[in-house]
Amino acid sequence: MATMTETCEVGGRSLPTTTTTTFTSIPVLDLSLVESPATKPFFLSELRRALVVVGFFYLKNTPVSADIQKAFVQKAKDLFDLPLEKKLEIDMVNSKHFLGYSRLGCERTARKTDHREMFDFLTPLPAPGPDEPIYLNVQGPNQWPDEKAVPGFRQALETYLSKIGKLGDLMKILVAEALDLEPTSMVKFFNDPPRNKVSLLKYPPPPLPSFSTTNGTNGINKESTTDSDFQGVGPHKDGGFLTYLLQATSQASLEAQNKSGVWIPVPPIPDTLVVNVGRSLESMTRGVCTATTHRVNLRPGNFVGANREPLGPRYSFPVFQTLKLDLTSKELSSLRLPAHIADLVKDEKVKSDAEAFFAKYHLESPGIGIFTARLTSHPNVGQRWYPEQLAQVLKGQREFRG
């Protein structure tokens, strides 16, 4: 395993920072360090390591207040608690923009069914015109739930998404600085306002026989179920620039795959967001920043507490920060990294369980990559609105695996 040691000045002292080609845990970064010239270099050094080696990091002391998070999480849970017929009023299959509600069992990753419900919403962006490329239909108007059914939901979501958007604006600058680029060098790759998508995700406990009364108790036999894997969402890489994930419940189901192919847990840490690199940032930096493969593994043991009490569903809420959808491959590769940064991952080999089929589409254009992934993840939407494109992509996916 290759190891690289750097130093950075913090408070007048030179501190070593070690970079290796793989990772065994997820680093925690403190955003408040950027507020002082004395500590900002240390933050940027740690951010560089997180981007290059891990592709994942926890971020604490973000500008998103606890009150805003709490209100958003509660309204999201209230939305999931609606009767199915109310949720189906905004069924995703009715949106050519892949927005709205996707019921349990309708989503697929790596050609396998995921075990989750979801709602998708976007920052306000117009739908493309009839003569524009078809892949631009991954943006358009939201389907909003009935305000009387969940009073205050839209306001809570838009407030939270706005705050994450401001954090994203800051991270564009910090990522550039961490890679020794001009602070504003990445701004040109984004729309104004940017395209940010929030997914509301509910993972019910896996439907295994062991989730019944056992050993004469009302709990779950944790010992017999802990090691059983169950796909909440399969191995994949996100398609955007950065993802900002709020893990709203205590289940330790998220896992990231290191460059040796080992799955590393990413358990919830209170008062943090989990941030991970997407394929677009990886493409822009020619693989220097790593889009790490990850999954949600619904091991039954994660759904019981210390006293074997059921913990209920897992809720998580990622926001996907996206580049301009119509960037060309030439534009994506126009970023010029300093030689000492470009050499950080020279000749590196990475093991990944994510489908390599999608890589070429993300290299071609962010919009094409996202559209292709949405077709395969939500084939019911694709079948209704884009049957020819869906058939072509599914055929390519099967042949690629073959």
Side-chain angles (χ1 to χ4, degrees):
M1 180 189 306
T3 302
M4 177 182 67
T5 301
E6 304 171 334
T7 60
C8 66
E9 294 292 330
V10 179
R13 295 182 298 136
S14 181
L15 299 180
T17 61
T18 301
T19 300
T20 62
T21 57
T22 191
F23 62 93
T24 57
S25 63
I26 308 301
V28 180
L29 276 61
D30 184 352
L31 189 59
S32 68
L33 296 179
V34 306
E35 298 171 4
S36 168
T39 54
K40 185 176 180 180
F42 179 73
F43 176 87
L44 293 177
S45 177
E46 291 297 287
L47 178 59
R48 177 189 298 178
R49 179 187 180 278
L51 295 170
V52 174
V53 177
V54 188
F56 263 78
F57 56 95
Y58 296 97
L59 192 63
K60 66 180 183 179
N61 290 318
T62 74
V64 186
S65 73
D67 287 344
I68 288 175
Q69 284 191 5
K70 183 178 179 180
F72 165 64
V73 169
Q74 185 57 59
K75 293 300 181 182
K77 290 182 177 180
D78 291 346
L79 181 61
F80 278 112
D81 287 343
L82 291 178
L84 178 60
E85 59 269 21
K86 290 296 292 182
K87 292 185 280 191
L88 289 176
E89 290 178 0
I90 56 171
D91 194 336
M92 188 180 289
V93 77
N94 296 322
S95 168
K96 67 189 302 182
H97 311 294
F98 298 90
L99 298 171
Y101 174 64
S102 178
R103 72 174 83 183
L104 187 69
C106 282
E107 188 185 10
R108 296 174 65 81
T109 303
R111 301 178 68 193
K112 295 182 180 179
T113 301
D114 298 323
H115 188 68
R116 65 183 187 179
E117 291 182 75
M118 72 186 303
F119 293 88
D120 276 357
F121 300 93
L122 269 180
T123 46
L125 290 167
D131 297 327
E132 294 187 81
I134 194 169
Y135 65 80
L136 292 179
N137 279 307
V138 292
Q139 72 179 39
N142 289 310
Q143 295 193 91
W144 292 106
D146 182 357
E147 176 67 16
K148 294 179 180 178
V150 190
F153 168 79
R154 180 170 179 174
Q155 180 180 351
L157 182 140
E158 290 184 333
T159 300
Y160 179 77
L161 194 54
S162 174
K163 291 295 185 181
I164 294 293
K166 289 180 170 57
L167 172 61
D169 290 340
L170 174 61
M171 291 303 298
K172 297 173 199 174
I173 295 171
L174 295 176
V175 169
E177 291 180 317
L179 300 177
D180 286 346
L181 296 167
E182 289 296 318
T184 60
S185 60
M186 292 187 173
V187 173
K188 64 183 179 182
F189 295 98
F190 294 85
N191 285 323
D192 184 19
R195 179 190 183 275
N196 294 329
K197 187 193 78 172
V198 60
S199 291
L200 315 182
L201 305 174
K202 177 183 178 181
Y203 297 87
L208 299 179
S210 52
F211 272 74
S212 59
T213 302
T214 60
N215 296 342
T217 72
N218 292 325
I220 301 164
N221 189 335
K222 186 171 182 178
E223 288 79 3
S224 68
T225 63
T226 299
D227 295 329
S228 302
D229 293 347
F230 191 91
Q231 177 168 312
V233 63
H236 67 284
K237 299 181 179 185
D238 292 344
F241 180 75
L242 291 174
T243 301
Y244 307 87
L245 172 68
L246 172 59
Q247 298 194 86
T249 46
S250 62
Q251 293 90 342
S253 299
L254 179 62
E255 298 173 344
Q257 191 174 35
N258 71 17
K259 296 181 181 183
S260 298
V262 178
W263 289 103
I264 306 300
V266 191
I269 296 179
D271 303 318
T272 68
L273 296 173
V274 176
V275 184
N276 65 276
V277 173
R279 289 184 186 267
S280 291
L281 179 53
E282 184 177 69
S283 298
M284 292 166 62
T285 60
R286 295 177 179 81
V288 171
C289 296
T290 181
T292 297
T293 301
H294 52 287
R295 68 183 182 184
V296 173
N297 191 346
L298 302 182
R299 290 190 179 91
N302 291 336
F303 284 81
V304 294
N307 297 316
R308 298 185 179 177
E309 72 279 9
L311 297 179
R314 175 183 185 262
Y315 292 94
S316 67
F317 308 110
V319 176
F320 304 93
Q321 183 183 17
T322 313
L323 304 182
K324 294 177 181 177
L325 295 176
D326 57 355
L327 287 174
T328 65
S329 178
K330 182 178 180 180
E331 290 171 323
L332 270 176
S333 61
S334 65
L335 196 66
R336 293 289 178 261
L337 297 176
H340 68 282
I341 297 294
D343 287 344
L344 290 178
V345 294
K346 192 175 182 180
D347 301 323
E348 186 175 51
K349 304 298 182 184
V350 178
K351 293 182 179 179
S352 171
D353 288 348
E355 284 193 285
F357 168 73
F358 296 104
K360 63 178 181 179
Y361 296 103
H362 285 280
L363 288 171
E364 189 173 349
S365 164
I368 294 174
I370 292 170
F371 180 69
T372 303
R374 297 296 272 175
L375 285 174
T376 60
S377 294
H378 300 280
N380 58 334
V381 181
Q383 187 59 48
R384 176 168 182 178
W385 297 102
Y386 313 103
E388 294 181 9
Q389 290 79 9
L390 175 64
Q392 182 180 359
V393 168
L394 292 180
K395 179 175 182 291
Q397 189 180 33
R398 288 191 301 269
E399 291 175 349
F400 185 90
R401 289 175 63 91

